[in-house]
Amino acid sequence: MDIHLLNALGITNCALFKYTDSHELECLTPELPWLSQVVTLDANNNLEKQHIPSIFLDDFFLDANEVWKGCNSFSLSSGFWTEQNGSHLLRLEALAINSESGARYLVVKNVEEQFDEKRRTLQAARELLLSHHEIVGQHEYIRHKLNNVLRKNTRLQKLVPPIQQAIHDLDTGVVILDNDGALVLDNKASHRLLYCNSSTPSSIRISELIKDIGAPPTFLPALVEKKTPWQGELFWQPVDEYKVWLQVTIHPVLQGDQLTHWVYLLTDITHIHGNGEGALIASGMDSLTKVANRNLFIDTVKRSVNEQSAFKLFLIDICGFKKINESLSYQSGDEILKTFALRLQSYVGNNGFIARIGSNEFALVKRSDTFRGHTSEDYAEELIKKLTQTYNVLNGSEPHLGVNVGIANFPSDCNSAESLLQCADIALQAAKYQGRNNVLIYSEALHKQHNASNELERQLRKAIEGNELTLFLQPIVNLATGKIIKCEALARWKTSSGEFIPPDVFIPLAEKSDLIFAFGEWLINEACEAIEAIKAANLDIRLAINISGRQVTDLALLTQIKNALDDHKLSGSSLSIELTESVFVESLDSVSILLNELRDMGITVSIDDFGTGFSSLVYLKKLPIDELKIDRSFVSELEENTEDQAIVQAILSLAHNLNIKIIAEGIETKQQQEFLKSHDCTYGQGYLYQRPVAISEFVSSAKKLR
């Protein structure tokens, strides 16, 4: 429809410019009364790029020109900005458009109505958030006051009447029970919120509430044991005609280790969950955690950059949150996220801006002049301590979170919002690569490492797709007879330029990316071809491959193994699977299913690097494990290190009692071999017997030993 007609009808209020073949911006709506405050037109109604009154629009052209140069359909928004015209303010938004037909346009919109609507929405959201934080703060204040009163007066009858009257008149619902759950005191607000009547007092309603929300029997005893309150939001519908969202605090009052009272605090927050949710989302707030969302966060970073004041950007990632959702339920995951956001907000206070920018990722902007003698690294370390304290959730679990933090500085690291976010993300990814609870600050060295890692990942992807990796085999011998009974398959990578990339570099790189799945499929098929070569030489030798923790949770793994064995007409008894200990800690249920399926196929199972991780008798007793591999770190100094000798003897004794065979890795000397033989170690692996070699060389040497 004609833009002039739309403007005349009041449906829109915008200026339209067409980007011509001569790289001019021709104004198609020069008659707009406010346009002269924003741009200058020549006699042909072309925009004079050298004389643009609006500094903001002039800056926007830097990005707009890139859009118009491109070939793809794209639209870029400037966001809202303000122009002063005497006493009148113009609220404007610019759009650079590259249409599918190849036409290019600049649109400058007068968005005063939208601006006012957004401002009203923001105000509504702000009031909701203030209300929410005020409720949480009020609960904390009342809880502390009642805790002090009850600890001084274990028999509540000694409370002076004014205190009882103050509790009675509170807008917050208060229910106090003794250690047996009998009612001691409540107030009229609790009667209203809990839907009490003459036959159903507040003590009964509290019991119903705890039961209806699905809290297990261990939930309340756990609060007593940990000496900690629980705070959260609950939806409750005790009868059909009454339903309510409640902010609830459950507080055990203790004298030393002895429970004396239970305090329940309740506030109606239905208005926040009902009408407020839409306002929160529209205003840029995350409806779950009640902090800013990604869009509002990016706008805030851009504004901070435009203000040119020094600040620090923190990206905060919760480690392995997907597994928490899967193991505890998504409801418990949401509880943890809300508590996480509250802890983050309470730590930062008014000295920073926080947001939830991903499912399990948060961010913080903090001005550099607010650190008051602390370094950003020290600040983040203290933040991690607070965020990783035990979480209590309604199902009775007490998960311990791991957190990683990446930090970037403005303006020393980057001069734009986009590049600053990229810098912080580079630091975060490097911190995640190191494990859990790490803090890293962006640096040029990290950037180079990041670029090198990306390039190496690209090369590895190409090497896997082009079948450029090679499989080497290392023998595992029976220490009593010297006979090769098994071998371990080890991947080797020599690039097209002749550079040798060690496995301890490219395997973690594959695990960090999705390449581990393609690599795993390659390894399984190559292992089956190696088994064929071994069988063709009439050798009875099993072959072991290492399976990554990420592969364990991949449902396609078992299918890949079955298909590979079928394609090569092999039985599962020719194959052995090695898993590291950390897999059992992180994915015990998944691993249990996997191992039982493997055993049904005749495949044996080994635990690699035993003793270096989370050694546990639980999985040794409950899971179908055939072998343990003692890590080479315990074998390398076995001749003179008495601590290593004691550890090895303990592992051997444990394995014998559980009827599990032991493989000692890294044997390099006769003395190490003799020590292990004398203590009944079953198998050995190491350079004393043979280094990893190509399949043909391994088969040749194994035939000679036979």
Side-chain angles (χ1 to χ4, degrees), residues 473-477 483-489 527 530-544 570-576 690 695 698-706:
L473 304 179
Q474 186 177 29
I476 298 170
V477 304
K483 181 182 177 182
I484 300 176
I485 50 86
K486 186 178 178 182
C487 63
E488 182 177 1
I531 293 172
E532 281 187 329
I534 292 170
K535 285 191 171 298
N538 293 317
L539 295 169
D540 184 19
I541 297 174
R542 282 183 295 133
L543 184 142
L570 298 171
S571 70
S573 59
S574 303
L575 189 63
S576 181
Q690 191 177 40
I695 296 171
F698 172 82
V699 169
S700 177
S701 60
K703 286 170 69 176
K704 290 176 184 178
L705 283 174
R706 181 185 58 183

Side-chain angles (χ1 to χ4, degrees), residues 164-172 187-189:
Q164 293 183 351
Q165 188 62 45
I167 293 172
H168 184 72
D169 292 337
L170 279 175
D171 290 333
T172 301
N187 64 359
K188 58 185 179 182

Side-chain angles (χ1 to χ4, degrees), residues 139 227 371 419:
H139 275 219
K227 300 182 179 180
F371 281 87
S419 57

Side-chain angles (χ1 to χ4, degrees), residues 239-482:
V239 292
D240 290 341
E241 65 270 22
Y242 179 73
K243 55 186 177 181
V244 65
W245 274 97
L246 294 172
Q247 179 74 34
V248 179
T249 297
I250 304 173
H251 174 54
V253 180
L254 297 105
Q255 287 280 0
D257 294 329
Q258 187 66 39
L259 176 71
T260 63
H261 296 89
W262 285 102
V263 173
Y264 292 83
L265 305 177
L266 311 112
T267 301
D268 186 347
I269 55 169
T270 306
H271 66 291
I272 295 177
H273 277 270
N275 299 330
E277 187 163 325
L280 287 171
I281 295 170
S283 67
M285 297 296 177
D286 177 54
S287 60
L288 176 67
T289 61
K290 310 298 188 299
V291 299
N293 64 17
R294 185 179 184 87
N295 290 337
L296 183 55
F297 172 74
I298 290 174
D299 288 345
T300 301
V301 174
K302 287 180 178 178
R303 186 168 63 250
S304 299
V305 167
N306 291 335
E307 291 171 358
Q308 291 295 302
S309 56
F311 67 91
K312 299 179 186 293
L313 171 62
F314 297 72
L315 294 186
I316 305 159
D317 179 83
I318 304 174
C319 304
F321 196 75
K322 182 174 181 287
K323 291 178 181 175
I324 291 175
N325 277 335
E326 290 172 350
S327 60
L328 299 182
S329 80
Y330 284 87
Q331 180 184 2
S332 297
D334 287 350
E335 279 187 71
I336 292 169
L337 287 173
K338 288 188 282 189
T339 305
F340 188 95
L342 279 173
R343 290 186 186 182
L344 180 58
Q345 185 70 74
S346 66
Y347 182 81
V348 174
N350 295 322
N351 292 319
F353 178 87
I354 68 169
R356 182 187 178 205
I357 61 173
S359 61
N360 60 308
E361 194 169 296
F362 290 75
L364 161 64
V365 171
K366 185 172 169 63
R367 287 173 59 101
S368 299
D369 58 10
T370 63
F371 281 87
R372 298 171 185 167
H374 290 90
T375 66
S376 55
E377 197 166 17
D378 290 340
Y379 182 84
E381 293 283 3
E382 289 300 315
L383 176 60
I384 286 177
K385 289 179 184 177
K386 183 176 183 65
L387 295 176
T388 54
Q389 292 172 4
T390 302
Y391 288 74
N392 292 292
V393 293
L394 279 173
N395 70 0
S397 301
E398 297 178 357
H400 295 268
L401 301 189
V403 174
N404 288 311
V405 180
I407 307 172
N409 294 280
F410 178 84
S412 58
D413 289 335
C414 310
N415 57 9
S416 72
E418 292 78 9
S419 57
L420 189 69
L421 283 162
Q422 185 182 29
C423 290
D425 189 60
I426 287 171
L428 176 61
Q429 297 308 316
K432 289 165 68 174
Y433 187 70
Q434 292 183 3
R436 298 161 66 92
N437 300 332
N438 297 300
V439 178
L440 281 181
I441 301 174
Y442 172 81
S443 66
E444 283 298 323
L446 269 185
H447 202 150
K448 290 178 181 177
Q449 178 184 325
H450 174 77
N451 289 340
S453 178
N454 284 346
E455 173 58 23
L456 194 62
E457 182 180 327
R458 186 191 67 78
Q459 292 182 33
L460 179 58
R461 188 181 303 277
K462 182 181 175 184
I464 294 171
E465 292 172 353
N467 199 27
E468 297 171 12
L469 301 178
T470 308
L471 203 65
F472 277 40
L473 304 179
Q474 186 177 29
I476 298 170
V477 304
N478 185 313
L479 291 180
T481 65

Side-chain angles (χ1 to χ4, degrees), residues 433 456 491-492 500-509:
Y433 187 70
L456 194 62
R492 294 292 183 261
F500 176 76
I501 310 295
D504 58 0
V505 172
F506 74 81
I507 297 296
L509 180 66

Side-chain angles (χ1 to χ4, degrees), residues 513-573:
S513 66
D514 288 337
L515 286 177
I516 193 62
F517 303 111
F519 172 78
E521 188 171 6
W522 171 87
L523 178 62
I524 291 165
N525 285 305
E526 288 294 308
C528 287
E529 290 188 12
I531 293 172
E532 281 187 329
I534 292 170
K535 285 191 171 298
N538 293 317
L539 295 169
D540 184 19
I541 297 174
R542 282 183 295 133
L543 184 142
I545 58 174
N546 286 277
I547 297 297
S548 157
R550 291 191 66 190
Q551 289 174 275
V552 166
T553 58
D554 181 22
L555 298 176
L557 176 64
L558 276 171
T559 303
Q560 289 173 2
I561 293 174
K562 288 177 182 177
N563 290 343
L565 290 173
D566 290 343
D567 291 344
H568 292 82
K569 297 180 173 57
L570 298 171
S571 70
S573 59

